[in-house]
Each structure stands twice: as structure tokens, then as C-alpha cells.
Amino acid sequence: MIALTGTPGTGKTSLASELRRRGHDVLDLKEHIISNGLREDYDAERDTYGVDIDRLADSLKDAEHEFIEGHLAHFLSPEMVIVLRCSPTVLSQRLKARGYDDGKVRENVEAELLDVILCESVDTGVPVFVVDTTSSSPSETTDAVEGIMRGETDGHLPGDVTWAEEMDGWF
């Protein structure tokens, strides 16, 4: 199983759709959580529901999927993690277009700037790769993911994508 993860707005859903179109088996983690009653208390301040990772993992113990897509996928003992990354400036625009309020936009942009999901993924101890989706189409992103699966990892290692030059504009 390969985890497809990243900050909200980095392109996970678009990637998953294109992977399915190309014949890959992809589990939508958000849909799985909702359909299996795994949402917990609503956090109004963060405008999100909690999820117990252990319960989520238990619900997937017999599942066999090529990919699991969602911003929690890296917590589910994958064989490999692919973290989608996006420039904070572009990410902000994407999230605002979704109707996210300013606080939620800032929270997610800060998470991207600080490499939160990348660091969590690296901490799993499994191979981790990154794909910059800032200016890539879903087809180009999918090509990159399929390349990583074939061992074409140049430019896709942790540290190959950084937003350090954008830090000053946000903090």
C-alpha cells in the first residue's frame, strides 16, 4: 500500500481520480471514514472532525488497496509514502477558492511551510517521496507518482521541495 498524503489543497483528490482513470486501485480515506462512522467530535475552532487513528487502522486491517489517499494516510503503516507539496502562495489561493475561512487557510499554509506532513511521514520510517504540484496538472502529477513507483526518484526526495524562500511572506 502506498500512502498519498499532503496538506489539504495540494492535489490529492485530483491525483486519486487520475490514478483511478489509469486503472489503479485507490481508497478515498475521507469517504472511508465517513461511511464507516469513524468521525469523532467536531472541532468548531478548526472546522474539522477528529479521527482516532487506531480505530481507522483497525478498520483497514484486511483492506488491500494499491493506494490510500488522504491527509492521514501516512499514519496507516504504508509501504511507501508520497507527500504532495504545493507552494504556500498557490495553496492559499486554492483553499480560498474552496471557501476556507482565513484562519483555516493560514493553519494549512503554515503546516505546508513547516513541512508538518512531510516530517510526520519521514517519522514513519518507510520510504518517503515528494511531488511538487504547484504548477502540475493532475496528469503530470500522476506521471510523477507512476515514475516514483518505477524507481525514478530524482527530484522527489524529502528536502527536494522546500518553501523556505516564502517564509518571510507568511511569518
Side-chain angles (χ1 to χ4, degrees):
M1 175 187 75
I2 298 171
L4 303 173
T5 191
T7 305
T10 55
K12 297 178 300 295
T13 301
S14 297
L15 168 62
S17 294
E18 181 65 14
L19 284 165
R20 284 187 199 95
R21 192 187 71 70
R22 294 186 188 188
H24 296 280
D25 176 32
V26 184
L27 175 71
D28 177 333
L29 200 51
K30 181 178 179 180
E31 175 58 34
H32 177 81
I33 289 167
I34 292 168
S35 65
N36 287 279
L38 297 171
R39 279 184 172 178
E40 296 192 339
D41 294 335
Y42 179 71
D43 180 342
E45 183 178 324
R46 295 183 60 224
D47 188 27
T48 191
Y49 288 89
V51 175
D52 181 313
I53 298 298
D54 292 331
R55 283 184 60 218
L56 177 57
D58 283 346
S59 75
L60 293 167
K61 67 181 176 209
D62 296 324
E64 294 186 21
H65 297 280
E66 186 177 9
F67 295 96
I68 294 186
E69 172 262 321
H71 72 277
L72 300 174
H74 55 285
F75 290 119
L76 300 172
S77 303
E79 296 169 27
M80 173 192 300
V81 177
I82 298 176
V83 181
L84 300 187
R85 307 293 311 273
C86 181
S87 156
T89 301
V90 172
L91 182 64
S92 172
Q93 295 166 354
R94 290 179 184 179
L95 296 177
K96 286 177 183 177
R98 287 185 180 182
Y100 281 33
D101 68 38
D102 289 343
K104 193 157 180 88
V105 169
R106 183 156 186 89
E107 175 187 3
N108 284 291
V109 165
E110 287 176 0
E112 184 67 12
L113 277 165
L114 298 173
D115 301 332
V116 171
I117 290 182
L118 178 61
C119 290
E120 291 172 348
S121 297
V122 168
D123 285 347
T124 67
V126 302
V128 175
F129 302 96
V130 298
V131 176
D132 181 357
T133 66
T134 302
S135 57
S136 298
S137 69
S139 180
E140 291 167 327
T141 300
T142 305
D143 290 345
V145 167
E146 288 178 333
I148 290 168
M149 293 171 63
R150 291 189 302 270
E152 300 164 11
T153 60
D154 286 348
H156 297 291
L157 299 176
D160 286 347
V161 176
T162 179
W163 312 122
E165 70 281 356
E166 290 192 43
M167 284 274 197
D168 289 340
W170 291 96
F171 292 106

